[in-house]
Amino acid sequence: MKAVLRRIGPSGVLGGFLATVLIVFAVLGPWLAPYDPVALDLRARLGAPSAAHLLGADEFGRDILSRLIFGARVSITVATTTVALAMVIGVALGLTAGYLRGWTDRVIMILNDSALAFPGLLLALGIMAVVGASTTAMVIALGIAFAPAVVRVTRSSVLSLREREFVEASRVMGNAERTTMIRHVLPNCVGPLTVLATAMFGWVILAESALSFLGLGVPPPAPSWGNMLAAARPYIQEAPWLIILPGLCISAALLGANLLGDALRDLLDPRMQS
Amino acid sequence: MIRFMLGRLALAIPTLFIVTLAVFAMVRAIPGDPASAMLGDLATPEMVARLKASMGIDKPLPVQYVIWLGDVVSGDFGRSIGNDEPVGPLIWERFKVSASIVLLAVALASMVAVPAGMIAAWRQGTATDLGLIGVATLLLSIPSFWLGLMILLVFGLGLGWFPILGSQALSGSWREWAAAIAMPVLTLFLVEMGSIVRMSRAATIDVLRQEYITHARAKGLSESAVMWRHAFRNAFAPTWTLIGLILGALLGGIAVVETVFTIPGLGRLLVEGIYTRDYPVVQGCILMIAFVYVVVNLIVDMAYPFFDPKVAR
């Protein structure tokens, strides 16, 4: 444990700490938040931080601290489901392409490269233009938008693994291709995929808050850091804390994901060390 | 060299083909009749019938695609549902605003961040390195729209240096235009510095480990000669690719910054098109951004051998 801590360094520890705080808030939110995040209290409207509302209240008098805590829950839920979706799609396609090679590989990679020809957020915007804006639509859109990166990483690990002796051995022993792939090839892709998933976690939190800021993500009144920023924009002069606080939360979450991602990369993938 | 360039050009053609196919399929994926969807709720039956005829709806899908592609190639993107303006000129006008912001921001960020990353690598492990990489990681973790709001709060509202509404970016005089885009350029400049510094540092560290650098040092060259004459070109190659990716991706993500500063750019046009279900506008914007993304990456790849001649062989 000590050796691991030394290898990931102080910035990795900070990243781990930020991520832990975020997850604790997300999981324990209902018990930690002092108020209901959607409860209105018009007397407290645009109130500055005070004893009753520690971080102030928004334009409907809703408690900011409670909304920020529930916002963590929204961000973590969206990020976890989106990353899981992108992983499932990406690993399935990448494994198939890298292991079967031939025409299957070529078709998957041409489609994949075309998906990569769209900037990620644009692809998500395009999908949401068709299916309409909702949290579910956003998760599906972002999951599809981020899957091509997973396909690439999985395929390239599989390509280097499939020539190795233990994969050959499994084939010689008469195991079916599918068994070889799932039991022997896939577990060896876990390292690079973990690094990618951590980085992707940050990208998704950023994309979610950007889409919610544009009014195309988590719909109000549900609290998300992005839609809180959008709602607070008209009050930027009277109540600047409404703008400052959600942004600090997004930045802390992103910093956590970035630092943890760097540390995991150094730990798990010596080839990518900087 | 020329063969490499032609090869890269040939690779871009199937990508562009699939991009147009995807954008075409997008509107067809909307449930219901695409002509009614394209025209919105207020359309009369005659308008729908006219559009159906021009889209060739009664013909098979591949024929419809060819008709649509022909229109797009000749610059006809249809008319906006909202104000019946032709979409092509509208997109071009807005694109110029967004492109000038993105180009300026990325050019300035590269000029500062590439040398900064090289200095961090050169002084690897020292306080200078830790300071630079720390600032870069911090910048990478700040969302552009929030940084924009902070800049708006300080320079727009607090100090009053710049106009808080950026609408003059489209129609104002040269000075009004510059004042309108100053804050968005500053925002994107800071945001993009983060990733460029990190890439430039990592690439330079890789290069500095190589034998020809040890050789250059051993023959008694000064550190700055080693750095700028021998390391720079090779260390810049991967960063150059990243800069290309950023240029293209920024255009897809610029809507948030344009929203913060009320800039009438392409991103804003796209998002407003999505709100109002103005499909001709949405289709045109997505096509334009994806096209620019592919072309920018093509240009970047074609210039790559200039920095790393090994690639062209």
Side-chain angles (χ1 to χ4, degrees), chain A:
Chain A
M1 186 67 202
K2 233 177 182 172
V4 170
L5 279 183
R6 192 166 337 113
R7 274 184 70 192
I8 63 175
S11 61
V13 173
L14 177 62
F17 171 75
L18 288 171
T20 312
V21 170
L22 185 68
I23 291 167
V24 166
F25 276 134
V27 174
L28 300 180
W31 292 278
L32 291 174
Y35 294 90
D36 179 344
V38 291
L40 308 182
D41 175 8
L42 290 177
R43 277 165 309 171
R45 201 177 171 269
L46 296 177
S50 65
H53 297 281
L54 284 178
L55 296 178
D58 70 3
E59 74 277 19
F60 296 114
R62 296 176 298 199
D63 183 56
I64 292 299
L65 178 60
S66 308
R67 289 182 70 73
L68 289 176
I69 291 174
F70 273 85
R73 209 174 161 81
V74 169
S75 283
I76 289 276
T77 315
V78 168
T80 314
T81 42
T82 305
V83 170
L85 181 65
M87 282 286 159
V88 170
I89 301 174
V91 167
L93 288 175
L95 208 56
T96 314
Y99 199 78
L100 295 181
R101 304 293 302 273
W103 274 106
T104 325
D105 183 29
R106 245 169 271 166
V107 170
I108 292 179
M109 288 324 282
I110 286 180
L111 290 176
N112 201 56
D113 287 347
S114 314
L116 283 171
F118 290 92
L121 201 60
L122 184 74
L123 193 58
L125 283 173
I127 297 171
M128 302 194 56
V130 174
V131 297
S134 72
T135 309
T136 319
M138 177 175 58
V139 168
I140 294 171
L142 289 176
I144 295 173
F146 284 121
V150 184
V151 174
R152 280 206 154 263
V153 170
T154 312
R155 178 176 173 272
S156 67
S157 331
V158 171
L159 283 185
S160 68
L161 285 168
R162 68 195 299 276
E163 308 303 332
R164 300 267 292 273
E165 286 88 353
F166 68 92
V167 176
E168 191 61 35
S170 164
R171 228 177 280 151
V172 172
M173 279 163 65
N175 282 332
E177 293 287 271
R178 205 178 49 187
T179 318
T180 310
M181 259 161 61
I182 293 175
R183 217 173 299 142
H184 300 285
V185 177
L186 186 58
N188 285 289
C189 303
V190 166
L193 285 177
T194 310
V195 175
L196 180 67
T198 316
M200 206 185 276
F201 208 82
W203 303 339
V204 175
I205 290 181
L206 183 61
E208 178 268 317
S209 57
L211 286 174
S212 300
F213 178 71
L214 290 175
L216 296 170
V218 178
S224 120
W225 297 331
N227 73 23
M228 287 173 75
L229 276 177
R233 194 175 169 277
Y235 309 102
I236 184 168
Q237 219 158 1
E238 327 167 43
W241 60 90
L242 291 182
I243 299 272
I244 295 170
L245 295 168
L248 284 179
C249 290
I250 302 172
S251 295
L254 291 183
L255 189 64
N258 284 336
L259 291 177
L260 202 61
D262 286 356
L264 282 177
R265 185 189 56 198
D266 292 349
L267 200 65
L268 296 173
D269 196 355
R271 281 167 309 162
M272 285 167 76
Q273 254 174 32
S274 56

